[in-house]
Amino acid sequence: MNVYIENRSDLVKYANRFIRDPAKAEDVVQEAWLRVSGRKHSEVANTLSYLYSVVRNLALDWIRKGHREVIEDPTGSTWKAHPVDAPSAEDVVYHRDEFRSVMEAIAELPERTQIAFKMSQIEGKPLHEIAAVLNISVGRAHQLVQDGFMHASRRFFGDDD
């Protein structure tokens, strides 16, 4: 939170260089902070640098969407339709790279841990199903999934605990 508070005005100025709308720049910075602070693994190597990247991506997304937006009467039919939020190309590349990094880290683990992690996080299988497939207890299945998380987290965020 301190990173956000200490750098908010600079982040807004940065976003405004793209957007040229101070109110929208403030919205972009707030959205960026919500995304960064809501990460499952809040330990980002350089939070401020990451926050600037998210602000830039959101600002560029806003610019792209702004060129397609048509102002019309709120009683019109377009306002009643829900827009499809397709991810930007940058988001797709970022998340694909992030996923690849996690999968590379998981590939370093023993086979049973890999299977448990993939079943839990990719296939969305509950622990009792993982335990049945691997012929282990639910507690052991949970431990394998946690081992996968810990290893991926250390590799992804550079923790060497």
Side-chain angles (χ1 to χ4, degrees):
M1 183 66 149
N2 288 339
V3 172
Y4 174 72
I5 292 170
E6 292 169 3
N7 297 284
R8 190 190 65 74
S9 63
D10 290 336
L11 288 162
V12 171
K13 288 176 191 172
Y14 180 68
N16 197 43
R17 284 193 276 172
F18 296 99
I19 296 174
R20 307 267 190 249
D21 178 348
K24 184 60 186 172
E26 179 72 40
D27 291 345
V28 165
V29 170
Q30 289 176 6
E31 175 67 23
W33 175 247
L34 288 173
R35 289 185 183 197
V36 170
S37 66
R39 285 184 58 94
K40 202 175 235 182
H41 301 290
S42 60
E43 302 290 274
V44 176
N46 185 340
T47 304
L48 184 58
S49 175
Y50 183 66
L51 191 54
Y52 269 97
S53 295
V54 174
V55 166
R56 185 192 74 239
N57 290 341
L58 288 172
L60 293 174
D61 285 349
W62 183 83
I63 291 168
R64 276 187 224 102
K65 289 178 183 176
H67 293 294
R68 293 188 304 243
E69 290 178 348
V70 177
I71 307 288
E72 73 167 306
D73 180 0
T75 60
S77 62
T78 304
W79 281 77
K80 295 176 185 170
H82 297 287
V84 176
D85 286 334
S88 69
E90 290 87 2
D91 286 340
V92 170
V93 169
Y94 171 77
H95 290 296
R96 189 177 294 146
D97 287 346
E98 199 173 56
F99 180 74
R100 184 179 29 77
S101 296
V102 169
M103 294 314 293
E104 286 172 0
I106 296 304
E108 298 169 351
L109 294 169
E111 184 180 9
R112 290 172 68 153
T113 307
Q114 289 181 40
I115 293 169
F117 183 84
K118 288 175 183 177
M119 286 181 71
S120 172
Q121 299 307 303
I122 296 173
E123 299 172 22
K125 302 290 185 190
L127 290 174
H128 68 88
E129 285 184 32
I130 298 167
V133 167
L134 295 175
N135 197 24
I136 56 176
S137 70
V138 172
R140 181 67 180 134
H142 180 262
Q143 184 61 50
L144 291 174
V145 172
Q146 286 302 108
D147 289 349
F149 265 120
M150 294 305 295
H151 181 73
S153 174
R154 282 191 294 272
R155 286 277 317 239
F156 192 71
F157 296 116
D159 280 345
D160 292 329
D161 293 337

